[in-house]
């Protein structure tokens, strides 16, 4: 079978439903490039299209074979005529089946445009065999809107239309144009995927003409959000454009709808770059409609002459967020004019004062409730937190409405500042609603985790409800964060509103992460299969590049989505079964006398993806078993867990283990008197792990997650530990593995999301430290570390780096578990960086000492090598008890800041797994002819030549510094 015809300058294109808004825009686009365009549909397109000599309107039945006189089309763009319920129930029209046959038979290329909410079942049903997939592409398109859109509202029109003739976003904008209100169905929870018309056309152009077509493409312009949040945006856009206040209503009786989860599409993962956010698109659309149709004018709405009258059959409720208070003032029928006027003024003043006090009271109560919700959420009392969040939502909603009323007379003078405050109040109300949805999602998720951990085969996993709630929380909080950002434009309470934006953004990120995790849980726990994972317990008091010495391991088994078994054992028990001799790193040979490498010493790089693969290989060699993934945790994770969960009683040891004594008890029961083959380590950490799991399982069995919940303690400790690299993981499953890699939980070096070699937008710099304790002790508990990184930009805009590391050994004595810190240090920097000098305690060390033929280069000097796309400097550093050691590397990075094309410098500092919060000081110095423009988007240091920031390495750190010429 031949490849489909390429769409070239002489291409013949058929567009179905050509009279729809998207159909006309595509036709104009192709006609502009002089393609031959044919159109079909039940209505005629605009006169502009009909009058074009390259356009032909067809009067044919798309469900029937095409007449023989028609040309052979190179491309058919089929805009789905199916209604939403037909898409949901996989009902394919005869016209669609006929056009898809063109692709199946290899006659021409077909682009089938569908609503973004089209079900996977519908797509699976339509997808042809692999042999003909190259002829058929699906474009899942969001809610298209923009200038020249047709005003269509379901509340005044009885006709049913297809998605590309009208959609939910068009309906909301149409209602605002045709009347002075928007009526929201489904409690305003319908998900909107804003797609500005120009972005849609650009995406079609890119995807149709690409040389590497994909079966499915997503086309949207901005982050998804609910219809209610969209209505806020429309309300705000109209207010800013004309000063008009738009009222919002809910249709029907109040209920608690549970919509099915919609597909989550991330803007940064689209294969094209949208140019218009919803705010920008609405501004252009409303401006056009006001000019062309005489609406949104003079603080009133004037619809076109033929506007229909809105008739609402269902009862509707005014939403507290947007309704306008209407006052019935007393009538004055007698008395002097002045007396009547005075009385009226007095009544108005009293009512105004009452509303001011009421508004202030609602804001106070809302603030108090949201603070209570936060405290209760952190304590694990989800039921009370939900009640508090709902109370806050009601208070902020009321205050927003009241504030608009009492400040209405002042809009002429202070419109921008009043809009700012109102946006902030709307943001807090939407944020409180997002908290409610987040709590609902968390409770549903905990019930599923209970099902997994309990191993109850009769209880199936049901994550749809959790995903829907977390989805809504993400949409609402992201929209609320946008409102909080807009609130800062009023230059009033900017710091407070920025704090509000940050909090809402954090909630949006947490909600999105939780939603994403909920989608991979079935794959992770083997809902339809079995999964076996290797868990490595790393002791970071004996630091190794991958986090710590591997003293214990566990095998975790899942079957049918349920936890089947956890077996904890001492690493020496399986290391003793290794028959193959594998050479260890030279440093282990020189310092520890090791002559054979085992699983316990295998984490010799900070890149966990490499360590995980090495661990798999050793585990297979030592046990004969294969695994589906590797997880590493260190003792700091257990410490964080016990801090949040409280002490654990170990019955076998008659000991209570808490965060304060974990390291001491762990060393005592694991190391004192230990010999290979003993069960001390296995028994202690096995008992600890089983006690923790038992406590969590008991918590998950509760109907609601209560105060001091072990489950929430686990979630909180795990979240912190993933960010701080006390937990790392790598999996075989493609979906789970990709998710973990994108999050950086596999500690890839350099990170997957940061490329030190990419200098297109800035001069990218990278720094990572790797230490290996090769002193056979647990001295890292007593090591204090401080890192100073100095970047100097020379007169040619070149980069000269100096890193200074100070070690202080606070060991109480030179006896085990403390003692001298013997550290194999590696410094990872951009590729081909050249080491200019190396100092120890201020003394230069010869980088190229004169050696005899039999002599080796001393380990105390620094050496350079290459690992992947990074250069590595390494040396041995010894820090005796009660002493301090200072190490300095000075090197040149082979790149310059491109002042004309990319005037910026980026630095990524990666934290080593197993370390805690080492002090980090970053200094940046410019030559006399340059100055700082911004740092991480902030203008606080604009105009300076020198910058210094003292922070810590609790997590990775990133700086983006833009520079400019003086």
């Amino acid at each position: 079978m031949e490849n489909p015809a390429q769409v070239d300058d002489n291409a013949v294109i058929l567009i179905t439903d050509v009279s729809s808004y998207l159909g006309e825009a595509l036709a104009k686009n192709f006609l502009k490039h002089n393609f031959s365009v044919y159109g079909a549909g039940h209505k005629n397109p605009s006169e502009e299209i009909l009058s074009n000599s390259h356009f032909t309107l067809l009067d044919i039945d798309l469900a029937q074979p095409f007449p023989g006189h028609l040309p052979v089309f190179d491309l058919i763009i089929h805009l789905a005529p199916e209604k939403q319920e037909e898409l949901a129930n996989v009902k394919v029209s005869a016209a669609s089946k006929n056009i898809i046959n063109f692709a199946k038979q290899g006659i021409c290329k077909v682009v089938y445009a569908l609503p973004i909410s089209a079900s996977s079942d519908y797509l699976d049903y339509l997808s042809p065999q692999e042999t003909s997939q190259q002829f058929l592409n699906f474009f899942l398109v969001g809610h298209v809107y923009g200038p020249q859109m047709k005003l269509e509202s379901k509340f005044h029109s009885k006709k049913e239309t297809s998605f590309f003739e009208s959609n939910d976003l068009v309906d909301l904008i149409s209602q605002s144009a045709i009347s002075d209100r928007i009526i929201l169905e489904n409690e305003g929870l319908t998900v909107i995927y804003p797609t500005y018309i120009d972005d849609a056309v650009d995406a079609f152009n890119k995807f149709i003409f690409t040389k590497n077509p994909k079966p499915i493409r997503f086309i949207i312009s901005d982050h998804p959000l609910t219809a209610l949040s969209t209505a806020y945006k429309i309300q705000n856009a109209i207010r800013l454009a004309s000063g008009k206040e738009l009222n919002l209503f809910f249709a029907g009786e109040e209920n608690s709808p549970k919509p099915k989860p919609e597909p989550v599409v991330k803007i940064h993962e689209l294969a094209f770059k949208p140019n218009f956010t919803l705010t920008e698109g609405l501004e252009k659309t409303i401006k056009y409609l006001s000019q062309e149709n005489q609406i949104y004018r003079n603080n009133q709405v004037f619809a076109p002459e033929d506007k229909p009258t809105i008739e609402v059959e269902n009862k509707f409720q005014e939403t507290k967020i947007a309704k306008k208070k209407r006052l019935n003032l007393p009538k004055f029928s007698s008395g002097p004019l002045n007396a009547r006027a005075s009385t009226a003024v007095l009544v108005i003043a009293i009512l105004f004062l009452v509303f001011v006090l009421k508004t202030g009271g609602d804001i106070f109560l809302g603030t108090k409730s949201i603070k209570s919700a936060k405290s209760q959420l952190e304590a694990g009392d989800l039921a009370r937190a939900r009640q508090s969040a709902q109370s806050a939502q009601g208070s902020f909603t009321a205050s927003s409405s009241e504030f608009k009323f009492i400040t209405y007379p002042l809009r002429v003078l202070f419109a921008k500042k009043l809009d700012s405050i109102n946006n902030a109040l709307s943001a807090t109300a939407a944020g409180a609603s997002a908290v409610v949805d987040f709590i609902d999602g968390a409770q549903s998720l905990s019930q599923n985790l209970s099902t997994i951990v309990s191993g109850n085969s009769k209880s199936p996993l049901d994550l749809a409800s959790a995903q829907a709630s977390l989805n809504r929380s993400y949409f609402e909080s992201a929209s609320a964060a946008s409102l909080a950002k807009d609130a800062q434009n009023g230059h009033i309470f900017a710091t407070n509103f920025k704090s509000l934006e940050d909090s809402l953004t954090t909630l949006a990120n947490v909600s999105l992460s939780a939603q994403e995790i909920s989608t991979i849980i079935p794959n992770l726990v083997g809902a339809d299969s079995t999964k076996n994972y290797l868990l490595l317990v790393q002791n970071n008091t004996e630091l190794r590049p991958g986090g710590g010495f591997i003293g214990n391991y566990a095998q975790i088994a899942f079957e049918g989505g349920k936890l089947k078994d956890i077996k904890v054992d001492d690493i020496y028990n399986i290391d003793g079964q290794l028959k193959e001799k594998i050479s260890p790193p030279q440093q282990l040979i020189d310092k520890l006398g090791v002559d054979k490498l085992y699983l316990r010493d295998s984490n010799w790089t900070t890149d966990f993806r490499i360590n995980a693969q090495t661990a798999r290989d050793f585990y297979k060699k030592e046990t004969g078993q294969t695994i589906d993934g590797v997880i590493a945790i260190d003792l700091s994770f257990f410490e964080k867990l016990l801090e949040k969960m409280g002490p654990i009683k170990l019955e076998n040891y008659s000991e209570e283990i808490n965060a304060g004594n974990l390291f001491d008890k762990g060393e005592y029961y694991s190391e004192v008197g230990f010999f290979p083959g003993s069960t001390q380590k296995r028994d202690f950490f096995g008992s600890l792990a089983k006690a923790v799991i038992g406590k969590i399982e008991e918590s998950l069995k509760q109907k609601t997650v209560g105060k001091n919940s072990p489950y929430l303690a686990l979630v909180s400790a795990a979240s912190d530990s993933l960010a701080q690299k006390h937990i790392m993981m790598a999996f075989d499953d493609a979906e789970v593995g990709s998710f973990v890699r994108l999050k950086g939980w596999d500690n890839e070096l350099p990170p997957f999301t940061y490329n030190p070699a990419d200098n297109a937008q800035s001069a990218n710099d990278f720094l990572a430290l790797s230490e290996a304790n090769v002193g056979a002790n647990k001295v890292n508990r007593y090591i204090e570390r401080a890192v100073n990184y100095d970047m100097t930009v020379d007169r040619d805009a070149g980069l000269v780096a100096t890193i200074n590391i100070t070690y202080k050994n606070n060991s109480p004595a030179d006896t085990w578990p403390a003692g001298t810190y013997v550290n194999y240090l590696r410094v990872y920097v951009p590729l081909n960086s050249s080491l200019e000098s190396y100092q120890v305690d201020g003394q230069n060390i010869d980088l190229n000492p004169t050696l005899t033929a039999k002599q080796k280069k001393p380990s105390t000097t620094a050496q350079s090598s290459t690992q992947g796309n990074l250069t590595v400097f390494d040396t041995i550093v010894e820090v005796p008890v009660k002493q301090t050691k200072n190490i300095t590397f000075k090197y040149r990075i082979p790149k310059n800041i491109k002042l004309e094309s990319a005037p910026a410098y980026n630095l990524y500092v990666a934290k080593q797994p197993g370390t805690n919060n080492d002090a980090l000081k970053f200094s940046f110095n410019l030559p006399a002819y340059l100055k700082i423009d911004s740092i991480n988007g902030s203008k606080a240091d604009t105009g300076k030549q020198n910058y210094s920031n003292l922070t810590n390495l609790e997590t990775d750190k990133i700086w983006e510094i833009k520079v400019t010429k003086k």
Side-chain angles (χ1 to χ4, degrees):
M1 183 178 294
E2 296 180 354
N3 290 329
Q6 295 297 317
V7 184
D8 55 28
D9 293 340
N10 299 315
V12 180
I13 302 173
L14 169 63
I15 301 174
T16 67
D17 200 9
V18 71
S19 61
S20 66
Y21 184 42
L22 178 59
E24 286 202 1
L26 292 173
K28 291 176 183 177
N29 168 68
F30 292 126
L31 291 171
K32 183 174 65 177
H33 293 91
N34 295 320
F35 288 104
S36 295
V37 178
Y38 288 70
H42 58 278
K43 291 189 299 184
N44 291 342
S46 66
E47 184 61 32
E48 178 185 352
I49 295 175
L50 288 173
S51 61
N52 192 297
S53 60
H54 292 280
F55 178 79
T56 303
L57 182 64
L58 300 178
D59 183 15
I60 60 174
D61 184 354
L62 295 176
Q64 301 298 323
F66 285 6
H69 66 271
L70 292 182
V72 176
F73 298 111
D74 298 293
L75 170 68
I76 298 177
I77 299 177
H78 183 48
L79 304 183
E82 285 79 8
K83 309 296 186 296
Q84 289 287 355
E85 62 273 11
E86 294 173 336
L87 293 171
N89 297 322
V90 194
K91 293 183 179 179
V92 184
S93 66
S96 295
K97 290 180 180 178
N98 187 37
I99 288 175
I100 289 174
N101 278 331
F102 282 88
K104 288 184 175 182
Q105 297 171 18
I107 296 174
C108 72
K109 180 177 180 179
V110 173
V111 170
Y112 194 169
L114 288 159
I116 198 167
S117 57
S119 68
S120 57
D121 291 340
Y122 191 89
L123 294 174
D124 290 341
Y125 179 81
L126 292 177
S127 297
Q129 300 298 318
E130 292 185 2
T131 53
S132 54
Q133 280 184 352
Q134 56 185 316
F135 295 93
L136 178 61
N137 301 135
F138 294 108
F139 288 6
L140 301 184
V141 186
H143 298 81
V144 180
Y145 73 103
Q148 299 182 334
M149 56 176 269
K150 299 177 178 67
L151 297 179
E152 299 278 355
S153 174
K154 66 184 72 172
F155 285 101
H156 71 268
S157 176
K158 299 296 183 182
K159 66 179 181 180
E160 291 188 0
T161 58
S162 69
F163 180 81
F164 293 107
E165 288 181 287
S166 181
N167 58 59
D168 291 317
L169 179 52
V170 169
D171 172 66
L172 295 177
I173 298 173
S174 296
Q175 288 190 61
S176 74
I178 295 171
S179 71
D180 62 350
R181 59 191 175 188
I182 290 179
I183 303 171
L184 296 162
E185 297 182 300
N186 192 32
E187 298 294 318
L189 296 179
T190 302
V191 181
I192 302 292
Y193 293 83
T195 308
Y196 191 68
I197 186 65
D198 291 356
D199 283 337
V201 172
D202 288 346
F204 269 81
N205 280 337
K206 178 179 175 63
F207 295 156
I208 287 174
F209 296 104
T210 184
K211 294 181 180 179
N212 300 304
K214 291 185 177 180
I216 299 176
R217 298 283 194 178
F218 289 92
I219 300 177
I220 64 172
S221 291
D222 203 351
H223 295 283
L225 65 168
T226 62
L228 179 58
S229 298
T230 306
Y232 293 149
K233 294 272 190 180
I234 297 172
Q235 186 183 48
N236 191 53
I238 294 173
R239 183 188 301 124
L240 294 175
S242 65
K244 170 163 182 60
E245 288 299 321
L246 184 72
N247 290 329
L248 307 184
F249 302 90
F250 288 131
E253 299 296 333
E254 185 176 2
N255 52 57
S256 299
K258 295 185 178 297
K260 295 181 179 179
E262 297 279 359
V264 175
V265 182
K266 301 176 187 175
I267 297 299
H268 66 274
E269 292 183 0
L270 295 175
F272 77 104
K273 183 179 181 181
N275 292 314
F276 296 91
T277 64
L278 178 58
T279 300
E280 294 166 338
L282 287 173
E283 180 183 350
K284 289 181 173 293
T285 302
I286 289 172
K287 182 178 179 181
Y288 174 85
L289 291 175
S290 65
Q291 292 173 343
E292 297 296 321
N293 298 319
Q294 297 295 308
I295 58 177
Y296 307 127
R297 294 282 181 92
N298 300 322
N299 201 34
Q300 299 182 39
V301 172
F302 295 93
E305 292 181 1
D306 59 344
K307 76 166 188 177
T309 301
I310 293 182
E311 296 180 359
V312 184
E313 295 180 356
N314 297 327
K315 296 179 181 180
F316 58 82
Q317 308 162 346
E318 288 188 90
T319 169
K320 295 179 182 177
I321 295 175
K323 70 179 182 181
K324 188 182 296 181
K325 298 286 185 181
R326 301 182 185 278
L327 300 179
N328 295 317
L329 299 178
K331 296 180 180 179
F332 304 99
S333 57
S334 62
L337 179 62
N338 289 342
R340 293 200 304 271
S342 298
T343 304
V345 169
L346 179 60
V347 171
I348 293 172
I350 291 173
L351 289 173
F352 186 80
L353 180 60
V354 168
F355 270 92
V356 169
L357 294 174
K358 176 68 167 60
T359 302
D362 283 328
I363 294 174
F364 172 78
L365 291 174
T367 303
K368 183 178 179 180
S369 295
I370 203 67
K371 287 181 178 179
S372 297
K374 181 181 178 183
S375 299
Q376 291 154 356
L377 187 59
E378 290 173 347
D381 194 344
L382 298 190
R384 291 182 61 196
R386 191 181 193 281
Q387 292 175 353
S388 296
Q390 284 183 313
S391 177
Q393 180 187 3
S395 296
F396 285 128
T397 297
S399 65
S400 176
S401 175
E402 292 154 358
F403 180 81
K404 282 193 291 184
F405 170 72
I406 63 177
T407 59
Y408 192 80
L410 304 176
R411 289 197 56 80
V412 177
L413 297 175
F414 307 106
K416 195 169 185 179
K417 287 181 170 54
L418 295 178
D419 284 337
S420 175
I421 296 174
N422 190 61
N423 281 337
L425 292 173
S426 298
T428 52
S433 176
V435 171
V436 173
D437 283 322
F438 177 78
I439 292 171
D440 289 343
Q443 287 180 317
S444 178
L445 196 56
S446 70
Q447 292 169 2
N448 281 277
L449 292 176
S450 177
T451 299
I452 294 169
V453 174
S454 66
N456 185 357
S457 59
K458 295 182 180 180
S459 300
L461 293 181
D462 181 14
L463 292 158
S465 178
Q467 292 169 8
S469 295
L470 293 168
N471 242 351
R472 289 197 299 272
S473 177
Y474 166 66
F475 295 148
E476 290 167 339
S477 51
S479 177
S482 178
L483 285 172
K485 184 176 182 180
D486 291 343
Q488 297 165 49
N489 295 332
H491 304 292
I492 181 173
F493 307 129
T495 302
N496 302 79
F497 295 161
K498 180 63 170 66
S499 178
L500 175 63
E501 180 195 358
D502 293 342
S503 298
L504 291 167
T505 300
T506 298
L507 178 59
N509 292 336
V510 171
S511 299
L512 180 59
S513 293
Q515 193 277 338
E516 290 172 333
I517 289 173
S518 70
T519 63
I520 67 170
I521 283 177
N523 287 19
L524 186 65
V525 300
D528 301 315
S529 62
T530 60
K531 295 289 185 181
N532 291 286
Y533 302 118
L534 174 63
L535 175 69
L536 304 175
V537 181
Q538 304 186 136
N539 189 339
N540 50 327
T541 65
E542 185 176 351
L543 189 62
R544 290 296 171 85
F549 178 77
I550 304 171
N552 289 80
Y553 78 96
Q555 182 172 326
I556 306 174
F558 291 94
E559 184 175 352
K562 310 296 165 53
L563 179 63
K564 183 180 180 182
D565 193 21
I566 297 179
K567 295 179 180 178
V568 182
D569 200 359
D570 171 25
I571 199 73
Y572 282 89
N573 287 339
I574 58 172
D575 276 352
Q577 301 175 35
L578 182 64
K579 298 179 180 179
E580 183 179 347
K581 183 173 182 179
I582 301 173
S583 297
Q586 190 63 43
Q587 292 76 22
L588 290 176
I589 298 173
D590 295 342
K591 297 298 180 180
L592 294 176
V594 175
D595 61 354
K596 185 178 178 180
L597 189 64
Y598 297 91
L599 175 57
R600 60 181 177 263
D601 290 318
S602 64
N603 56 349
W604 201 244
T605 173
T606 58
D607 190 327
F608 185 73
R609 298 179 75 229
I610 298 175
N611 289 341
Q613 187 57 55
T614 305
R616 291 166 183 270
D617 295 340
F618 271 103
Y619 193 71
K620 179 68 179 295
K621 293 176 188 294
E622 294 177 352
T623 67
Q625 299 179 49
T626 57
I627 50 176
D628 301 297
V630 181
I631 305 168
I633 60 176
D634 63 25
L635 297 189
S636 291
F637 163 67
F638 280 109
E639 185 180 36
K640 290 178 181 294
L641 183 58
L642 292 174
E643 282 178 356
K644 298 175 184 294
M645 181 188 294
I648 291 284
K649 181 72 173 179
L650 298 186
E651 300 296 341
N652 295 348
Y653 293 85
S654 298
E655 291 273 16
E656 186 176 80
I657 308 300
N658 56 48
N661 67 12
L662 171 66
F663 284 99
D664 290 331
K665 297 297 183 182
E667 285 175 0
Y668 176 79
Y669 286 111
S670 302
E671 303 292 345
V672 176
F674 167 76
F675 56 90
S678 71
T679 62
Q680 286 180 219
K681 248 192 294 190
R682 174 189 61 199
D683 290 346
F684 176 78
F685 284 107
S687 296
L688 180 62
K690 288 179 181 178
V692 169
I693 291 170
K695 198 168 182 179
I696 293 169
E697 183 177 353
E698 187 62 31
S699 167
L700 290 171
K701 288 179 181 178
Q702 301 173 9
K703 291 183 179 179
T704 58
V705 181
K707 189 175 182 180
N708 297 325
S709 161
Y711 158 63
L712 285 183
L714 174 63
V715 172
S716 178
S719 177
D720 291 344
S721 295
L722 284 165
Q724 297 165 14
K725 304 184 185 179
H726 297 303
I727 300 178
M728 294 172 291
M729 54 189 69
F731 298 99
D732 285 348
D733 182 88
E735 184 177 350
V736 179
S738 297
F739 176 76
V740 166
R741 191 181 186 200
L742 186 63
K743 291 292 183 182
W745 295 343
D746 58 357
N747 198 44
E748 186 175 358
L749 195 70
F752 172 68
T753 55
Y754 185 84
N755 182 6
D758 182 6
N759 303 307
Q761 302 298 321
S762 65
N764 282 2
D765 190 8
F766 180 77
L767 175 66
L769 302 184
S770 169
E771 297 182 17
N773 180 346
V774 289
N777 56 27
K778 311 296 180 184
V779 71
N780 287 93
R781 286 181 62 185
Y782 308 104
I783 296 299
E784 185 179 336
R785 185 186 297 102
V787 180
N788 290 339
Y789 186 68
D790 185 285
M791 170 52 61
T792 298
V793 180
D794 65 19
R795 64 181 183 180
D796 297 320
L799 307 181
V800 180
T802 302
I803 178 171
N804 178 277
I805 311 167
T806 301
Y807 297 97
K808 185 178 180 181
N809 188 343
N810 296 315
S811 293
D814 197 6
T815 55
W816 191 94
T820 298
Y821 183 35
V822 184
N823 166 24
Y824 172 51
L825 171 66
R826 282 176 283 185
V827 180
Y828 294 84
V829 298
L831 187 64
N832 297 324
S833 294
S834 56
L835 184 59
E836 295 185 348
S837 67
Y838 170 61
Q839 294 182 342
V840 178
D841 292 335
Q843 300 296 315
N844 282 317
I845 304 299
D846 192 349
L847 296 175
N848 296 291
T850 303
L851 305 173
T852 65
K854 296 182 179 181
Q855 288 178 316
K856 293 182 179 179
K857 195 171 186 179
S859 61
T860 52
T861 190
Q863 304 182 76
S864 298
S865 60
T866 299
Q867 179 178 311
N869 61 347
L870 297 171
T871 288
V872 185
F873 308 137
D874 68 276
T875 188
I876 295 289
V877 180
E878 296 192 15
V879 190
V881 174
K882 302 293 185 182
Q883 292 190 26
T884 299
K885 188 76 70 174
N886 189 281
I887 307 297
T888 303
F889 297 87
K890 183 178 180 180
Y891 55 96
R892 180 174 290 274
I893 300 173
K895 59 181 70 179
N896 298 69
I897 297 177
K898 300 175 183 177
L899 298 175
E900 302 302 328
S901 59
Y905 164 83
N906 275 10
L907 171 64
Y908 192 110
V909 183
K911 172 194 176 178
Q912 178 178 354
T915 59
N916 289 313
N917 55 348
D918 299 322
L920 171 66
K921 182 180 181 181
F922 169 55
S923 300
F924 183 74
N925 310 294
L926 288 170
Y929 69 95
L930 294 177
K931 62 180 180 180
I932 293 172
D933 179 60
S934 66
I935 299 178
N936 292 341
S938 170
K939 295 285 188 176
D941 295 281
T942 300
K944 295 181 180 179
Q945 286 183 277
N946 306 100
Y947 166 79
S948 183
N949 182 214
L950 181 61
T951 180
N952 65 60
L953 272 173
E954 188 174 35
T955 60
D956 293 357
K957 291 293 185 290
I958 302 175
W959 282 272
E960 180 185 28
I961 303 179
K962 294 183 178 180
V963 303
T964 184
K965 294 180 180 179
K966 281 190 172 182

